[in-house]
Amino acid sequence: MTAPKLALTEGDLSTTAADAVVVGTLQGADGLELAPGAEAVAAAFDGALLDVLGTLRASGKADELVKVPTFGKIAAPLVLAVGLGKSTGEEQVRRASGVAARALAGKKRAINTLAALHVGAAAEGTLLGAYAFTEYKSDKGEGPVAKVDLHAAGSKENKAALKAAVAIAESVAIARDFINTPPNDLYPGSFAARAEKLATAAGLDVEVLDEKALKKQGFGGILGVGGGSTRQPRLVRISYKGAKAVKKVALVGKGITFDTGGISIKPAAGMDEMTSDMSGAAAIVATMVLAAKLKYPLEIIASIPMAENMPSGDAYRPGDVLTMYGGKTVEVLNTDAEGRLILSDAIVRACEDGPDYLIETATLTGAQVVALGKRTAGVMGSEEFRDRVATIGTAVGESAWPMPLPEELRADLDSRLADLANVTGHRWGGMLAAGLFLREFVAEGVQWAHIDIAGPAYHTGGPYGYTAKGGTGVPVRTIAAVLADIAANG
């Protein structure tokens, strides 16, 4: 589906033709308040807009939407009052703009006064809130609002913020599209081909390793997990080098295009959600396209393993020992702990490039959801970089929390046959044990962060803010902000 066209405007709100004007409301100390940017609309109502909203029981709470007809007081026939809660912060503006964009479906033009607070957040929220995946529907619906004017000054800073926000939102949409594509159409070969096409169009260098190349080079984890499917695995390598690169960053994302659990098969209930088990890979592909658009002064190399975890006569078994890329051996105790196996191969390969930083993301463990819920990612890794990533992620609206790697859990990954086992013999600290497993494959001296997005990557409930049902695109915005921070601060 096409996205709304965005533009900065400083036109007179009372006379500018539009289908609707979006204003913000707040839960003030003394009751309902209008957010900055709504002054001209309020003036056109002769100061009565707040009274009207109060009559309609508006409270200003986050995600609230109240529609007010203008009766000719301004050129637009409708005011959409969206709640910001108690703050005018960027995330509140982003969410409110998303709520408004969803309500504007089918309209030709709207004006968003929330841009007076934060241009970039208003732009991101509008584009992400308008997103809908309709490729497989006969009835495509009304479509998103065609154009949204962001009511803010056309300054150099605002133009730059708008340009960056559009690029970021477009990349989140790329990730969402990948995640929402059903697994009969998105499997390792087709995923790799689509990633290659996108990356090449963005001017990036791409290498795709098929099953023969993977076997020749010894990628035992990827081959082990992908061997049970007739649709064989891939490893996609995408490279970007900006002008005057200050640091080298490696990116890795889990690309399990569907996860049955393999021989350790999952319960049937909810298994359809495993179409999202490639969300980490989707985020990394999208981030590489974004890096090319925003021209970070960095060298960034992505290693993206893709496999389908299926039970068959060729599938790997509990009890098998796999020789991973780089030579370490792993005893498989549970074939449903497959993500860490393909990631480990990719991590070792990524570290051969000598990065200063390594960022890896995956829908890795159900334990992440148990510990932190469906909207907060768990971040593990080198303590200083882990905390940096979690702080930046939360700041851009992708909630993240730093998690420890307790040394006492490492012994529980010891194997009687191999260098280590892929799971512990108990259910305690499952997210942390997975992080400890991955740490075994990170080269010494590399600052790394693992972002477990098992919950945040895929939304199964009703829409809220700028988030619709299905793939969310988390953590594209987090990684983009971390890359920008590395570019600025090393």
Side-chain angles (χ1 to χ4, degrees), residues 323-334:
T323 300
M324 314 296 285
Y325 183 78
K328 282 189 179 178
T329 56
V330 175
E331 181 185 10
V332 177
L333 299 182
N334 187 328

Side-chain angles (χ1 to χ4, degrees), residues 415-441:
S415 164
R416 67 184 181 87
L417 295 175
D419 295 327
L420 69 165
N422 74 326
V423 294
T424 65
H426 55 74
R427 58 190 291 257
W428 316 119
M431 172 171 51
L432 313 181
L436 286 165
F437 181 92
L438 294 175
R439 187 181 68 177
E440 294 290 311
F441 297 88

Side-chain angles (χ1 to χ4, degrees), residues 55-146:
T55 301
L56 294 173
R57 296 186 177 276
S59 66
K61 67 181 180 180
D63 287 9
E64 179 183 72
L65 174 68
V66 177
K67 299 180 179 181
V68 179
T70 67
F71 298 109
K73 294 181 181 297
I74 61 175
L78 187 67
V79 170
L80 296 185
V82 285
L84 292 160
K86 298 179 180 180
S87 166
T88 57
E90 291 189 35
E91 178 62 5
Q92 285 71 32
V93 170
R94 196 178 288 116
R95 286 187 62 165
S97 295
V99 170
R102 199 160 41 249
L104 290 165
K107 303 294 186 184
K108 292 182 178 179
R109 185 183 183 190
I111 303 170
N112 185 343
T113 68
L114 296 173
L117 297 168
H118 301 286
V119 167
E124 276 187 31
T126 297
L127 293 174
L128 296 179
Y131 173 89
F133 187 76
T134 61
E135 184 174 343
Y136 293 84
K137 288 184 175 290
S138 300
D139 181 358
K140 306 294 185 184
E142 295 180 300
V145 55

Side-chain angles (χ1 to χ4, degrees), residues 28-304:
D30 298 319
L32 183 69
E33 298 178 3
L34 287 173
E39 294 85 0
V41 177
F45 274 76
D46 299 322
L49 182 56
L50 269 179
D51 293 335
V52 173
L53 288 169
T55 301
L56 294 173
R57 296 186 177 276
S59 66
K61 67 181 180 180
D63 287 9
E64 179 183 72
L65 174 68
V66 177
K67 299 180 179 181
V68 179
T70 67
F71 298 109
K73 294 181 181 297
I74 61 175
L78 187 67
V79 170
L80 296 185
V82 285
L84 292 160
K86 298 179 180 180
S87 166
T88 57
E90 291 189 35
E91 178 62 5
Q92 285 71 32
V93 170
R94 196 178 288 116
R95 286 187 62 165
S97 295
V99 170
R102 199 160 41 249
L104 290 165
K107 303 294 186 184
K108 292 182 178 179
R109 185 183 183 190
I111 303 170
N112 185 343
T113 68
L114 296 173
L117 297 168
H118 301 286
V119 167
E124 276 187 31
T126 297
L127 293 174
L128 296 179
Y131 173 89
F133 187 76
T134 61
E135 184 174 343
Y136 293 84
K137 288 184 175 290
S138 300
D139 181 358
K140 306 294 185 184
E142 295 180 300
V145 55
K147 183 181 181 183
V148 176
D149 289 329
L150 303 175
H151 201 256
S155 64
K156 182 178 179 181
E157 292 77 14
N158 282 347
K159 288 178 180 178
L162 175 58
K163 181 180 179 180
V166 170
I168 290 168
E170 286 174 347
S171 290
V172 174
I174 288 172
R176 288 180 174 183
D177 284 349
F178 274 133
I179 299 164
N180 291 327
T181 300
N184 57 313
D185 281 345
L186 193 79
Y187 46 90
S190 66
F191 192 5
R194 293 188 190 192
E196 182 177 19
K197 183 177 180 180
L198 276 171
T200 300
L204 300 167
D205 294 328
V206 185
E207 177 189 20
V208 178
L209 279 65
D210 63 11
E211 67 273 21
K212 294 179 181 178
L214 292 169
K215 184 175 182 180
K216 183 177 180 180
Q217 296 183 35
F219 287 90
I222 300 173
L223 289 167
V225 173
S229 174
T230 57
R231 303 191 287 195
Q232 290 294 296
R234 299 287 186 269
L235 176 65
V236 178
R237 299 256 301 161
I238 305 174
S239 302
Y240 161 84
K241 189 168 184 178
K244 299 180 181 179
V246 295
K247 293 288 182 180
K248 182 183 288 188
V249 182
L251 301 180
V252 174
K254 173 186 172 185
I256 297 293
T257 56
F258 193 77
D259 183 21
T260 67
I263 298 296
S264 308
I265 197 163
K266 293 177 179 291
M271 194 191 290
D272 58 291
E273 294 177 22
M274 289 301 100
T275 183
S276 68
D277 213 17
M278 36 58 66
S279 296
I284 297 303
V285 173
T287 300
M288 291 302 295
V289 173
L290 179 61
K293 288 182 180 178
L294 296 184
K295 303 185 186 305
Y296 295 118
L298 301 168
E299 183 176 358
I300 309 170
I301 305 175
S303 301
I304 309 165

